[in-house]
Structures are given as C-alpha cells and as structure tokens.
Amino acid sequence: MSTENLIETKDLSVGFPVGGKIFNKSVLKAVNDVSLSIPRGSFFGVVGESGSGKTTFGRALLNAAPITGGSAHYEDGDVSYDLGKLTGSELKEYRRRAQLIFQDPYAALSPRMTVRDIIAEPLEVVGLCNSREEVDERVREIANLCRLNLEHLRRFPHAFSGGQRQRISIARALVSKPRFVVADESVAALDVSIQADILNLLKSLQDEMGLTYLFISHDLSVVAHTCDHVAVMYLGQIMESAPTRQLFRSPRHPYTKALFSAIPSLDPDDHGKAQKLEGEIPSPTNRPTGCQFHTRCPFAIDLCKREEPRMETCEAEHSVTCHRWRELQLAD
Amino acid sequence: MSLIDVENLTLQFKTDEGLITAVDNVSFSIAPGEVMGLVGESGSGKSVTAKSLMKLNPGNAVYAPESRITLHLDNGPVDVMSLKRPRDMEVVRGGSVSMIFQEPMASFAPAMTIGSQMVEQLLIHTDMSKKQARELSIEMLDRVGISDASTRFGQYAFEMSGGMRQRAMIAMALSTKPKLLIADEPTTALDVTIQAQVIDLMKDLVTDFGMGIIFITHDLGVVAQTADKVAVMYLGKMIEQGPVREVIRNPYHPYTQGLIDALPQLDDLDKPLMPVPGDIPSPLERPEGCVFHTRCGKIIGDVCRTVAPGWSDTGENHRTACHLCHEGQSA
Ligand SMILES: Nc1ncnc2c1ncn2[C@@H]1O[C@H](COP(=O)(O)OP(=O)(O)OP(=O)(O)O)[C@@H](O)[C@H]1O
Ligand SMILES: Nc1ncnc2c1ncn2[C@@H]1O[C@H](COP(=O)(O)OP(=O)(O)O)[C@@H](O)[C@H]1O
Ligand code: SF4
Ligand code: SF4
Ligand SMILES: [Mg+2]
Ligand SMILES: [Mg+2]
C-alpha cells in the first residue's frame, strides 16, 4: 500500500442476500469489485445515480456493511488495518478513527437529547474521556469549531434550523477526533446558502483537524467545488476516477459525460448540448451482461454487450472502465 | 387573461408560542402556459403560499380578510378564499389544479397500489373508461422514467425507492392534465438525469396543454431551465419578481444576489462559495422595517431598520422591494 493513501480497496465487493426461499436465494452485489485509493488529506468525492452503491461503499469503509469480496486497508502512521478482519480493540480504535456525517440531520438527531449529549455520545461509546469535565471540555472545543455557542448546547435539536442541525451532526462526527470521515449527502437537504456555509465549514475543519473525507453526493456542481478527486459509480462499479478538474474538463467515460450534460445550467438560454440519458439504472439483481452501462450508452457496440471492460489508466491518477475510451471524443 | 391571480395574500398560524406570520402580503399572477419559479430559503413561506392556492393549510391557519385568490377556469372565475365546504373545494381540487408535494410518502395511500390510485383519480375527474385510465397511467409512469411501468403499476408506494415514488407522484399529478400544476420541490431528491427527464416532461405538458406551473425549488439552475418568470421570497415577503433572464442576470435585491453567489457554478471552480451571512430569523421575531436588514450587506441605514420598502420598478415586468432601488441607485 502506498504511504500516501489512507485507504486502499482492491476488488472490494459488498453483497446482500436477497429472496426468501432457500432455492431462490441470490446475492445482490451493491458494490462490485471496486479498487480505489483515497489519499491522506484528500476531499474524495463519489457520485452516481440513486442506487449506484455510494452509501454502501461508504458503509463498507466504516466497517458497517459486510465486505464479501476483495479487501480494504486503512493505513495511518503506525497503524495498519485490514477492514474486513477487524476485531476487539482494533475495531474499537477504528470506530473512533472513522466517522459518518448523516444524510438527513432531521432524522438523525434524537429529539429528547440536548445538543451537548448528542455531541458527547460518541465519546462515551468509545470511552475516550475519563471524566465528565473532560467530555464537556471536548464538546465545547468541537462545538466552537463548528460555530455552535454554549447556549446552543443546552437546547434540544428541534429548536434549530436545518443548517444548525447539520453543524450539530458534524460536531458529533468530529468529537472523537477521527481521521477519516464519510459525509453522505450531507448538504442535499439544505438550501443553497446554508449549503455553501456547510461546505466552507467542512473545508476549514479539514485543514484544522487533518481530515480525509469521502464525500458522497449526487450534486455534481457541489462535488466540483469541494472535492480534489472524484469517482463515478454505476451499478456498484467505478466507471471513472480522476482529479476533479481533469474529470470535468475531459471526461473519458460516456456515463460521466451523460451526468455532466444533465446538470441544469444557470443560463436560461443554454439548454445543454449533448443528448440526455434515457431510462434508469438497471436493478443490481438483474445486471446487464458485458459493460454494465451498455443498456443506456449511446456509444455501445457489440463488444460492449459481450465483454466486461476492465478499469484502465488513461493518464496519471485518471482511470476509466470503457472499451472505447481511446477513440471516443467526449470533451466539449 | 391570467389563469390565477393572487392578491395581498397574508396568512398567519396560531401556535402556542404566538401568531406566526408565514406569508405577508404576497401578490402574483400566472398565465396559461406560463411557468413561475418560486425560490427562497427554507422557512421563507413557499410551501404555505402554494398550499393556500388550494386551501390546503391546516386548521390553525388564519387568512387576512384582504387576501384574494381568483382562479379562472373554463366556466368562469372561482373565488378560492370564499370556498368553505369540502364539496365547494371540488372545483379546485377536482383535477384542474394539481399539486406535487414535498413529502411524497404523504400523497399515496399505503394500502392501495400506485396503479389503482392513479386509475381511481382518473375515473373521478375525467370521463375515461377503466381501460383507458389504466393505459394512460402506465404511459405516464413510463414518461417520468419508471422502467417496466406495467409492473410498477401494481406495486405499493413502500416498494419503491424514494426517487421512484417521487416520479410516480409526478405521473399521477400530471395524468389529469391539470390547468395549474403546483410543484413543491419536485426534483430536489432526484438524480440529475431523472430531473432532466422530469423537466422535459413538464415542458411538454406546458406546450401541449397550456398548463401553468408554479415551480418551487431552491435550485436556481432548475429555475433557469424551466421558468418564464421568478419570484423570490424571504421570511414570508416577496422581495423580487420578474422575467427569469432579468432576475438571474441582473438581480436587484441583495438577497437575490446572495442566493446566486451561494450557488456552486461549474464554469468557475475557483470562485469561493459565498453563503448569505447569518441565519434566517425566527418567524416569531420578524425584524422591523426591511425583513432582510439583519443579514443585508448593503444596508443603507435607519430607513432599512424602520421602514418596510415598497415595490420599485427595476425593469420591464421586473420589480424589487428594497430601499436601494427606491433611491434610483442600482443595488
Ligand atoms: N441492507 C440491504 N439489503 C439489501 N439491499 C441493499 C441493502 N442496502 C443497500 N441495498 C441495495 O444496494 C444498492 C445500492 O444501494 P446504496 O444505498 O448504496 O445506493 P446509493 O448510491 O447510496 O443511492 P442514493 O443516492 O439513493 O442514496 C441498491 O440497489 C439497494 O437497494
Ligand atoms: N402548520 C403550521 N403551523 C405553524 N407554523 C407553520 C405551519 N406550517 C408552516 N409554518 C411556518 O411557516 C413558515 C413558512 O413555512 P414554509 O412555507 O413551509 O416554508 P418553505 O416552504 O419556504 O420552506 C415557517 O416559519 C414554518 O415554520
Ligand atoms: S464499454 Fe461500451 S457500452 Fe460501456 S461505456 Fe464504453 S462504449 Fe459504452
Ligand atoms: S431595504 Fe435595506 S436592508 Fe433591505 S435589502 Fe434593501 S438595502 Fe438591504
Ligand atoms: Mg445513499
Ligand atoms: Mg417547503
């Protein structure tokens, strides 16, 4: 594993058993052979349509979804973990190091706990502090970083606006001083102004605390503005992965291109140039043969239906999973 | 002639903590075939305004006596405020006005399949046969991008993913071909690809049937792509309205400018994201004078703190409620 990476996955798969009857039992592969490296200190984005496996991938890296194939490694200073095989004290330490910021701050916060108790809970779960004073000290410190004041800590979450609630869930995720944070659609429910505020907060916390983020989102403009590197997922697979600017400037995969052309432009006279993507993502229990994207790809040829493309490196740090990436001219 | 005229709509909610002013003296009109985008931060009163048009607000809502909503249907004008009994409401709720709600789960009965709800609705509001209703429902499901529509037709809401449920609701709302469609954040939870499909479908219906739409969203990109005109709300007040190109390219109100600056834009990735500073005040503590003065970076002085700004013309069919415009300066 390269020392620059905090997390590396190799052919990582997550399968869920589906179907009740013994004979019809099959496996739904929500994440399918994913090989990715997440550099330490990066803001790493994952995009893709609903059901593409983004949340499941994030959960696998948090040790919260079963790794059923391949591997995921975490390496930081003198610790090195095989995430599929964590037990006992290692597991406990990893739970401190890897945290989740919830998708929906409204549903995630318990209405009967004060903000102070909500933020403090992870400390108590991992047994990180020895006294109540120590806990209070830590809670105040992180609340301050997340721009919540002391008076806020005594209140209940229903008294807060959407943006404030999101700051509470961020404080809760960061109170145990994690190294790796999964932010799953953390700004999706917020309106633009609050969204900008939370994104700026995540960035400044990254600098102050030396965090590495896995940032899951279906909003490509948000990802373009916040992430250094973006991976595009489709039906549990990585279709393309590249440094943000490079990906947006010269996408190599037809799916990436299709996602980009669907972004509504702020210019009322610009209605998008490329053709729109028809239909929807197939069910992972009924996968297409060959390239997973061929049922919707405007460039599909016979080969695409028969043979599954492998992920190839097309430039430094830029990989693509498409038979035809060399010949297609997708950049505008 | 317009399809709907809203004049001086003011609505308060009676709550334990006191009277909450959710909508404050709002006026606008929509013509047949016209799409109006309604934007603003959450809590600004967009949903309450929309629900007022069908009198769908809960029992603790109090409409001010000067509020007036007139719907112009084929058989003549309907004074929505005067409708009291559920039977009277049939004219409005009976298919000529349709609403897509922000909370999709709430709009489907849990014990009925999606298909039977769609068919039932069509049988009540149109003179279609059961067979026609079934065919149209499946076609609409297909048009909102639900694959294998005839199978989905027989499923229950809980068997669908959130995005699919949202699309089924859109299909249901559009199937009666309403005159006026009120769409409350219909695409916020959708993927860009599906969002683009749904937007195209709505545009088709506008062209084909002259449907008017009120499109509530906080995504200005979606507004730019769908709306003819835009109205911006803040703390229950309408603070700017005008043609979509004008408002997006030349916003006059400091709040509208703030919303646009906060938007992550793809053509300039180096531009920092600029949130509107501060939080939206509680509706129980609405600021005196201009409701936006506690967060405004361009505040002129005491006039903003004490006097509520009236409308100024800031272009053709474009008006703005801000003292800066009053003084003839461009904000
Ligand atoms: N516990 C589970 N049991 C069975 N199937 C599951 C489970 N969790 C996820 N799946 C399936 O795995 C696939 C990927 O789901 P996942 O939640 O990771 O998608 P996502 O990309 O996060 O989507 P969204 O953008 O809607 O959040 C879906 O088909 C989903 O139905
Ligand atoms: N049933 C209700 N009782 C009391 N207050 C309400 C009710 N419904 C909405 N409100 C208040 O009215 C204001 C406007 O709400 P809403 O129209 O839902 O905002 P938006 O749709 O713009 O996010 C908010 O302050 C909200 O809390
Ligand atoms: S492999 Fe073929 S079907 Fe798949 S994305 Fe490339 S061109 Fe399209
Ligand atoms: S009236 Fe004054 S406070 Fe209000 S938006 Fe205009 S300049 Fe700002
Ligand atoms: Mg998810
Ligand atoms: Mg609303």
Side-chain angles (χ1 to χ4, degrees):
Chain A
M1 171 161 182
S2 153
T3 51
E4 281 160 32
N5 295 331
L6 185 71
I7 290 184
E8 271 182 31
T9 72
K10 182 100 189 51
D11 301 327
L12 180 73
S13 295
V14 178
F16 296 107
V18 288
K21 297 186 208 80
I22 302 171
F23 296 107
N24 288 340
K25 266 223 164 71
S26 62
V27 171
L28 181 159
K29 263 198 178 178
V31 174
N32 195 4
D33 287 346
V34 167
S35 301
L36 277 182
S37 304
I38 303 178
R40 193 169 294 112
S42 64
F43 215 119
F44 196 98
V46 181
V47 301
E49 285 168 289
S50 178
S52 58
K54 308 178 295 292
T55 299
T56 310
F57 177 63
R59 283 166 45 89
L61 299 189
L62 291 173
N63 209 269
I67 294 176
T68 50
S71 64
H73 282 91
Y74 169 95
E75 209 169 279
D76 195 16
D78 44 9
V79 303
S80 168
Y81 297 141
D82 179 345
L83 297 188
K85 305 201 172 84
L86 286 178
T87 48
S89 61
E90 277 189 352
L91 182 60
K92 199 164 173 183
E93 173 58 15
Y94 189 66
R95 292 242 183 281
R96 180 190 74 75
R97 285 169 177 262
Q99 290 284 339
L100 173 72
I101 302 173
F102 290 100
Q103 182 156 359
D104 177 4
Y106 292 87
L109 303 178
S110 157
R112 280 185 210 85
M113 284 165 81
T114 62
V115 169
R116 183 250 172 226
D117 291 344
I118 288 171
I119 298 177
E121 198 177 41
L123 290 177
E124 275 138 27
V125 173
V126 269
L128 215 56
C129 293
N130 298 317
S131 66
R132 195 175 161 91
E133 284 70 41
E134 222 177 298
V135 172
D136 277 334
E137 171 69 30
R138 184 69 201 127
V139 169
R140 275 201 296 272
E141 208 178 303
I142 195 72
N144 186 29
L145 278 178
C146 295
R147 298 206 320 279
L148 295 161
N149 60 38
L150 292 183
E151 193 229 335
H152 287 145
L153 294 178
R154 282 191 292 272
R155 290 206 240 149
F156 293 91
H158 67 85
F160 292 93
S161 69
Q164 287 169 326
R165 277 186 240 206
Q166 194 54 276
R167 293 209 283 267
I168 296 169
S169 16
I170 293 173
R172 178 187 155 96
L174 300 187
V175 74
S176 65
K177 299 195 178 157
R179 302 285 299 154
F180 175 58
V181 175
V182 176
D184 189 354
E185 300 284 5
S186 300
V187 297
L190 306 173
D191 47 58
V192 280
S193 172
I194 303 172
Q195 176 179 296
D197 182 54
I198 295 294
L199 293 173
N200 290 341
L201 177 66
L202 288 176
K203 275 262 191 237
S204 71
L205 290 168
Q206 176 173 44
D207 296 341
E208 273 164 78
M209 301 177 68
L211 301 170
T212 303
Y213 288 114
L214 185 77
F215 186 84
I216 298 172
S217 177
H218 69 254
D219 189 330
L220 296 155
S221 324
V222 165
V223 165
H225 269 267
T226 43
C227 298
D228 339 299
H229 191 104
V230 182
V232 182
M233 254 184 133
Y234 189 78
L235 267 185
Q237 291 188 336
I238 303 298
M239 291 295 163
E240 187 164 9
S241 165
T244 308
R245 271 152 213 269
Q246 197 167 323
L247 188 77
F248 279 81
R249 203 182 323 114
S250 40
R252 295 288 200 162
H253 198 284
Y255 180 59
T256 314
K257 179 68 190 170
L259 284 182
F260 289 174
S261 34
I263 303 172
S265 161
L266 193 57
D267 178 353
D269 296 312
D270 170 13
H271 299 301
K273 293 142 233 130
Q275 60 249 80
K276 296 221 169 86
L277 202 53
E278 298 291 328
E280 64 172 11
I281 192 164
S283 155
T285 49
N286 191 12
R287 287 175 178 279
T289 54
C291 170
Q292 304 288 287
F293 186 54
H294 88 251
T295 54
R296 298 167 80 194
C297 180
F299 306 103
I301 51 174
D302 254 3
L303 172 70
C304 306
K305 294 177 194 146
R306 279 183 280 119
E307 243 175 71
E308 200 169 325
R310 278 178 307 120
M311 186 175 235
E312 293 177 57
T313 304
C314 54
E315 269 171 86
E317 296 182 79
H318 190 160
S319 347
V320 55
T321 313
C322 169
H323 288 302
R324 304 186 64 194
W325 69 267
R326 277 173 219 278
E327 39 173 322
L328 296 176
Q329 291 297 327
L330 299 175
D332 295 320
Chain B
M1 196 174 61
S2 53
L3 183 58
I4 190 163
D5 293 311
V6 176
E7 293 159 273
N8 312 323
L9 177 66
T10 298
L11 187 161
Q12 294 181 307
F13 287 109
K14 277 193 217 139
T15 71
D16 297 342
E17 295 155 286
L19 272 183
I20 288 182
T21 303
V23 180
D24 185 0
N25 201 15
V26 160
S27 305
F28 60 88
S29 298
I30 294 171
E34 190 172 49
V35 182
M36 178 176 99
L38 187 56
V39 300
E41 254 163 297
S42 89
S44 58
K46 306 181 297 292
S47 297
V48 173
T49 301
K51 286 181 187 165
S52 304
L53 307 185
M54 292 172 86
K55 287 195 91 179
L56 284 175
N57 283 304
N60 62 335
V62 185
Y63 295 90
E66 69 273 18
S67 309
R68 177 150 257 103
I69 298 174
T70 318
L71 190 64
H72 302 277
L73 297 179
D74 294 341
N75 311 330
V78 180
D79 174 5
V80 177
M81 281 297 129
S82 71
L83 304 175
K84 294 277 179 322
R85 292 167 304 168
R87 233 191 54 197
D88 302 334
M89 286 310 299
E90 267 301 290
V91 245
V92 178
R93 296 188 196 158
S96 53
V97 184
S98 259
M99 181 149 179
I100 300 171
F101 292 93
Q102 202 169 350
E103 321 83 24
M105 206 49 192
S107 12
F108 286 110
M112 269 171 95
T113 63
I114 299 277
S116 44
Q117 290 183 65
M118 292 182 76
V119 167
E120 184 182 77
Q121 189 209 211
L122 285 168
L123 293 181
I124 296 174
H125 300 308
T126 68
D127 42 21
M128 272 180 216
S129 71
K130 209 163 174 174
K131 182 161 173 287
Q132 286 169 321
R134 187 191 147 87
E135 277 164 10
L136 177 68
S137 301
I138 293 174
E139 185 199 319
M140 291 310 287
L141 288 173
D142 187 56
R143 285 186 74 178
V144 293
I146 294 183
S147 59
D148 203 2
S150 42
T151 311
R152 296 295 183 187
F153 179 87
Q155 287 190 323
Y156 296 90
F158 68 84
E159 294 180 274
M160 298 189 164
S161 78
M164 213 181 277
R165 219 179 282 142
Q166 184 76 0
R167 277 177 278 157
M169 185 168 61
I170 295 170
M172 181 152 98
L174 295 180
S175 65
T176 57
K177 308 214 165 74
K179 291 253 179 310
L180 177 67
L181 176 72
I182 305 166
D184 193 354
E185 310 257 5
T187 61
T188 305
L190 300 182
D191 295 314
V192 279
T193 51
I194 303 298
Q195 171 172 285
Q197 292 171 10
V198 168
I199 288 175
D200 283 350
L201 172 65
M202 289 194 187
K203 282 182 169 168
D204 284 351
L205 291 168
V206 169
T207 335
D208 295 354
F209 310 111
M211 177 173 77
I213 305 185
I214 299 182
F215 201 116
I216 302 178
T217 173
H218 57 251
D219 187 333
L220 284 163
V222 171
V223 168
Q225 291 304 310
T226 48
D228 303 302
K229 61 183 188 187
V230 192
V232 186
M233 285 185 79
Y234 183 80
L235 258 190
K237 280 260 184 216
M238 200 165 270
I239 51 104
E240 181 160 2
Q241 53 178 305
V244 69
R245 286 177 183 71
E246 284 255 336
V247 175
I248 286 183
R249 289 181 191 153
N250 291 312
Y252 271 81
H253 198 283
Y255 178 63
T256 315
Q257 293 167 353
L259 285 183
I260 292 175
D261 287 339
L263 209 64
Q265 287 183 33
L266 280 176
D267 46 17
D268 184 4
L269 295 185
D270 294 316
K271 184 174 151 260
L273 299 178
M274 305 261 293
V276 178
D279 287 320
I280 196 164
S282 150
L284 284 164
E285 297 152 20
R286 301 180 89 228
E288 293 279 301
C290 169
V291 280
F292 187 56
H293 86 251
T294 54
R295 299 169 72 189
C296 181
K298 295 189 169 164
I299 181 164
I300 313 171
D302 274 346
V303 62
C304 297
R305 292 187 198 96
T306 52
V307 184
W311 288 113
S312 303
D313 282 329
T314 42
E316 204 175 327
N317 298 321
H318 181 183
R319 46 190 200 144
T320 307
C322 166
H323 289 303
L324 279 171
C325 307
H326 251 358
E327 307 197 335
Q329 299 163 260
S330 86

